[in-house]
Amino acid sequence: MYKELLEIPSSHSFVRTDMKWDIGKETDIDTFWYDEKDLSGSIIAKYVVKVTKFIYPPERSQICYQKFTPDNLSLLSTGELKQ
């Protein structure tokens, strides 16, 4: 799902490397870490995807991402994904 929303080429793999759940009184936040790999298997970018679920009315979700260089040192882009 996130691969399509992030418009990652179909020839690249999108591999989840970690995840974390934070449960709060008003929101649940799921955080996922991904590596984008090219055809040769080299990591070309790293992503952090955060899904925030608001529990109280109006119930809604928000998906934000950050894209980093393969060494995880520089932020390349950030934004909100439309479902």
Side-chain angles (χ1 to χ4, degrees), residues 13-41:
S13 60
F14 195 57
V15 181
R16 188 172 70 199
T17 59
D18 202 359
M19 62 190 302
K20 178 177 103 174
W21 292 287
D22 291 317
I23 300 172
K25 289 185 177 184
E26 297 183 14
T27 60
D28 290 344
I29 301 173
D30 301 336
T31 306
F32 304 94
W33 286 265
Y34 290 93
D35 289 346
E36 178 184 357
K37 297 182 179 183
D38 62 13
L39 288 171
S40 66

Side-chain angles (χ1 to χ4, degrees), residues 16-83:
R16 188 172 70 199
T17 59
D18 202 359
M19 62 190 302
K20 178 177 103 174
W21 292 287
D22 291 317
I23 300 172
K25 289 185 177 184
E26 297 183 14
T27 60
D28 290 344
I29 301 173
D30 301 336
T31 306
F32 304 94
W33 286 265
Y34 290 93
D35 289 346
E36 178 184 357
K37 297 182 179 183
D38 62 13
L39 288 171
S40 66
S42 298
I43 297 173
I44 59 170
K46 292 184 174 270
Y47 291 83
V48 178
V49 177
K50 273 191 180 179
V51 180
T52 304
K53 298 173 188 164
F54 299 90
I55 299 168
Y56 292 104
E59 293 179 11
R60 60 188 172 93
S61 294
Q62 178 184 37
I63 303 172
C64 297
Y65 79 94
Q66 295 176 309
K67 180 180 180 180
F68 294 89
T69 55
D71 59 11
N72 225 10
L73 296 176
S74 298
L75 180 65
L76 298 173
S77 65
T78 185
E80 187 174 336
L81 299 175
K82 303 295 182 195
Q83 298 182 44

